[in-house]
């Protein structure tokens, strides 16, 4: 993050970038006056217009505030129209920052995007999955901090899960999956089905130790919690 801050400081010497900062501040103020979901869509539209006009700048001004606003727009109680408009914002931002910087700022944008899949409406999921595929999966191992569980079992979702498994290393992926199962009972069945379907009975356990993950105590804890209740 240090290099990003330094680059932003240097950009402040550019009058056009300073105008970009001012425009972002003005767009963000629109969120302060929202009282219903239609206002949020309008505010997001203003933000998108500013960002789309400055895509040449990889350093997005006020990105922490922007990420908080976008995460708020991902709230499950909001209608799909707000989610879709916010996804447009994410897409513009991620196109601007590029994969290298996204790897450094994953925590900013992942906080709003990764939890959405569990409660996304059917008309939102295609756009969300496309965003995952376009911007996040190419990160490879840099995606590790953002690994999340999902209760959805659609073919496209699990295809992306398999791709993620290869990208971040199998043992790390399964370790994260076991932790998700332990902390989120709602995804237990889908996750267990996924693990069982990818366990090759023709191979020895020694050849598939990655299924245990990175923390055997976590897997044992799940077994005790769900299959040996007190």
């Amino acid at each position: 993050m240090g290099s990003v801050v330094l680059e932003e400081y240097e950009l402040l010497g550019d009058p056009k970038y300073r105008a970009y900062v001012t425009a972002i501040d003005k767009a963000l103020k629109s969120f302060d006056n929202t009282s219903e979901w239609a206002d949020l869509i309008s505010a997001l539209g203003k933000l998108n217009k500013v960002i789309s006009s400055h895509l040449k700048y990889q350093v997005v001004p006020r990105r922490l505030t922007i990420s908080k606003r976008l995460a708020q727009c991902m709230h499950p109680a909001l209608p799909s129209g707000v989610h879709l408009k916010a996804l447009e914002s994410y897409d513009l931002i991620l196109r601007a920052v590029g994969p290298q910087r996204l790897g450094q700022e994953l925590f900013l944008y992942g906080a709003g995007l990764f939890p959405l899949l569990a409660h996304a409406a059917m008309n939102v999921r295609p756009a969300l999955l496309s965003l995952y595929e376009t911007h996040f999966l190419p990160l490879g191992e840099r995606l590790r901090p953002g690994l999340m569980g999902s209760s959805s079992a659609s073919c496209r979702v699990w295809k992306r899960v398999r791709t993620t498994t290869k990208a971040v290393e199998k043992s790390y992926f399964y370790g994260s999956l076991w932790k998700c199962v332990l902390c989120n009972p709602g995804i237990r069945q889908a996750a267990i089905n996924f693990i069982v379907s990818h366990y090759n009975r023709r191979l020895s356990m020694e050849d598939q130790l990655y299924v245990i993950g990175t923390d055997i105590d976590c897997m044992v804890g799940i077994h005790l919690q769900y299959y040996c209740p007190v």
Side-chain angles (χ1 to χ4, degrees):
M1 288 294 291
S3 61
V4 177
V5 173
L6 178 60
E7 185 176 355
E8 185 173 21
Y9 178 78
E10 293 174 346
L11 281 171
L12 290 175
D14 180 353
K16 292 184 178 179
Y17 186 78
R18 291 200 301 271
Y20 183 18
V21 176
T22 301
I24 286 289
D25 286 337
K26 184 177 180 180
L28 287 173
K29 286 183 179 179
S30 300
F31 288 89
D32 296 334
N33 302 316
T34 56
S35 58
E36 55 185 31
W37 63 264
D39 296 331
L40 283 175
I41 292 179
S42 176
L44 288 167
K46 294 176 182 178
L47 179 64
N48 292 353
K49 184 177 181 180
V50 174
I51 296 173
S52 63
S53 299
H54 299 83
L55 290 177
K56 68 176 183 178
Y57 293 110
Q58 288 190 317
V59 180
V60 178
R62 311 292 191 246
R63 53 196 172 279
L64 180 58
T65 303
I66 290 175
S67 66
K68 289 180 179 179
R69 288 301 191 186
L70 292 181
Q72 290 169 351
C73 290
M74 296 290 100
H75 193 284
L78 292 172
S80 60
V82 176
H83 293 165
L84 287 170
K85 199 66 177 180
L87 288 178
E88 291 180 17
S89 304
Y90 277 114
D91 183 57
L92 286 169
I93 292 172
L94 300 183
R95 281 165 49 195
V97 302
Q100 185 63 37
R101 182 161 281 110
L102 175 57
Q104 300 172 6
E105 300 182 344
L106 185 62
F107 69 98
L108 285 178
Y109 309 111
L113 281 170
F114 293 145
L116 177 62
L117 185 60
H119 55 75
M122 292 302 295
N123 63 324
V124 174
R125 290 189 179 187
L128 179 61
L129 290 171
S130 293
L131 196 145
Y132 287 166
E133 295 163 4
T134 302
H135 300 292
F136 288 95
L137 288 181
L139 294 180
E141 291 192 357
R142 288 175 293 172
L143 185 59
R144 285 183 174 187
L147 283 179
M148 299 290 289
S150 170
S151 59
S152 173
S154 70
C155 293
R156 188 177 179 187
V157 170
W158 287 123
K159 182 179 179 181
R160 298 281 68 80
V161 170
R162 288 191 291 272
T163 304
T164 304
T165 306
K166 297 177 182 178
V168 301
E169 187 179 312
K170 289 183 177 180
S171 61
Y172 192 94
F173 171 83
Y174 280 99
S176 298
L177 184 58
W178 286 120
K179 290 177 182 177
C180 287
V181 173
L182 185 62
C183 299
N184 300 278
I187 71 167
R188 176 171 62 93
Q189 192 59 56
I192 295 298
N193 289 344
F194 174 84
I195 293 171
V196 171
S197 67
H198 287 79
Y199 181 79
N200 192 335
R201 298 180 184 276
R202 297 181 180 180
L203 298 177
S204 66
M205 186 62 203
E206 287 73 15
D207 293 327
Q208 302 176 84
L209 288 177
Y210 55 82
V211 174
I212 296 175
T214 53
D215 185 356
I216 191 171
D217 291 336
C218 180
M219 188 182 71
V220 172
I222 293 170
H223 177 79
L224 293 175
Q225 179 177 345
Y226 293 117
Y227 301 106
C228 301
V230 178

